[in-house]
Amino acid sequence: MHFLKQAPVAQLSSLVLGYWFIEDLKGAHEGRPIQTAPSPTAVLTLNFGRPCTSDFAAGAPRASLLGIQSHRRDWRSGEGCAFVMVMLTPAGLARLFPASGQSTGDDLLELGAVLGDGASRRLVEDLSAAWEPHRVAARLDAWLLERLVTTKPLPETERLARAWDVLRRTSRVEAAARAVDVSTRQLERWFQEHLGHSPRQVAALERLHHSLLAAQTGQGDPHEGFSDQAHRIRMWRRHLGLTPGRFARTPRSMMADYFNPRREGSAAALAHFL
């Protein structure tokens, strides 16, 4: 199995965390479940080969938009799997795919439902023709920059991004609402429409993600943001289906080892693979 990460152009850095390329052309990981943890990110996935299977009702279309997930998900690779994942920040999801939260929150949507089947197919075919990852990344940069021009931002998009920045630093919904001069009720509506979850839910996923990342890498405090150890254990059980103690005893796969922030060029481990 081969992995590679590419950074987007600077103009996209607040919206796109990176491009992740994964190949399992020989089926080395076939039949073994890949478990991805909840994270306050969204993923645009474009398959160049045979798609992985998943536990979503939509399966694994050739092109899909996966919104913010609050639960662990299972995937299975197989011979011929090759794809790129465009990792989107909450601001990126709201700006590039506005009002998609109710369709993608805790779910997967075929990209054709957003772009139209023809446009979705042309995008995948164009990227497949580029073949080499650095060329695919360049074409993704160009496509996403064009989408910024052609997709009209909604009036609240910029304020939602600012509110999310305050929320991820403070975990306080009231402070986030004050920062953009709206009521907490209005902020709730924006988050549900564009991200598919409430501000408190997304903040909880951010806290859980950092706790998991700290436990995985030994960097940072895995207890930060939790009132006590019991609170942390409850959150892990609810969203991950396991306790921190059990996690510490569980061997990680080669994918988890690769997508580790201590590796050169990685800004963050946005998904955890058991």
Side-chain angles (χ1 to χ4, degrees), residues 101-119:
Q102 293 181 346
S103 300
T104 63
D106 274 327
D107 208 348
L108 177 146
L109 182 69
E110 289 194 46
L111 192 60
V114 181
L115 305 180
D117 290 336

Side-chain angles (χ1 to χ4, degrees), residues 34-126:
I34 303 167
Q35 297 177 330
T36 58
S39 171
T41 55
V43 185
L44 171 64
T45 300
L46 304 157
N47 285 283
F48 305 138
R50 171 186 162 193
C52 295
T53 59
S54 74
D55 58 1
F56 288 100
R62 196 172 182 197
S64 64
L65 181 62
L66 179 69
I68 292 174
Q69 304 295 294
S70 64
H71 301 286
R72 188 180 69 185
R73 294 293 186 179
D74 289 343
W75 303 79
R76 291 182 184 273
S77 181
E79 185 176 356
C81 286
F83 55 97
V84 59
M85 298 188 296
V86 181
M87 309 302 295
L88 302 170
T89 66
L93 178 63
R95 177 63 182 86
L96 293 163
F97 301 98
S100 64
Q102 293 181 346
S103 300
T104 63
D106 274 327
D107 208 348
L108 177 146
L109 182 69
E110 289 194 46
L111 192 60
V114 181
L115 305 180
D117 290 336
S120 177
R121 183 177 60 254
R122 287 192 295 273
L123 172 62
V124 175
E125 290 174 349
D126 178 60

Side-chain angles (χ1 to χ4, degrees), residues 161-232:
R162 296 204 315 269
W164 164 242
D165 184 58
V166 173
L167 186 64
R168 67 191 297 268
R169 288 187 285 105
T170 67
S171 295
R172 294 174 57 87
V173 178
E174 295 78 8
R178 284 198 305 271
V180 295
D181 195 27
V182 297
S183 66
T184 56
R185 187 183 181 90
Q186 181 61 63
L187 190 64
E188 168 96 19
R189 285 195 288 265
W190 287 351
F191 268 65
Q192 291 287 358
E193 180 178 5
H194 295 287
L195 304 182
H197 298 277
S198 71
R200 283 187 172 82
Q201 288 170 329
V202 181
L205 292 177
E206 174 80 6
R207 183 166 59 246
L208 178 74
H209 169 67
H210 282 289
S211 178
L212 178 61
L213 184 62
Q216 178 183 339
T217 65
Q219 298 177 350
D221 181 4
H223 299 88
E224 184 177 356
F226 298 101
S227 57
D228 52 33
Q229 175 69 352
H231 180 206
R232 178 178 175 235

Side-chain angles (χ1 to χ4, degrees), residues 131-167:
W131 185 248
E132 295 184 8
H134 73 280
R135 292 180 178 174
V136 172
R139 293 193 185 189
L140 279 170
D141 285 339
W143 185 80
L144 291 167
L145 288 171
E146 181 181 5
R147 187 160 179 80
L148 282 179
V149 174
T150 58
T151 304
K152 184 178 180 181
L154 296 177
E156 67 270 18
T157 303
E158 183 179 343
R159 287 202 284 176
L160 184 147
R162 296 204 315 269
W164 164 242
D165 184 58
V166 173
L167 186 64

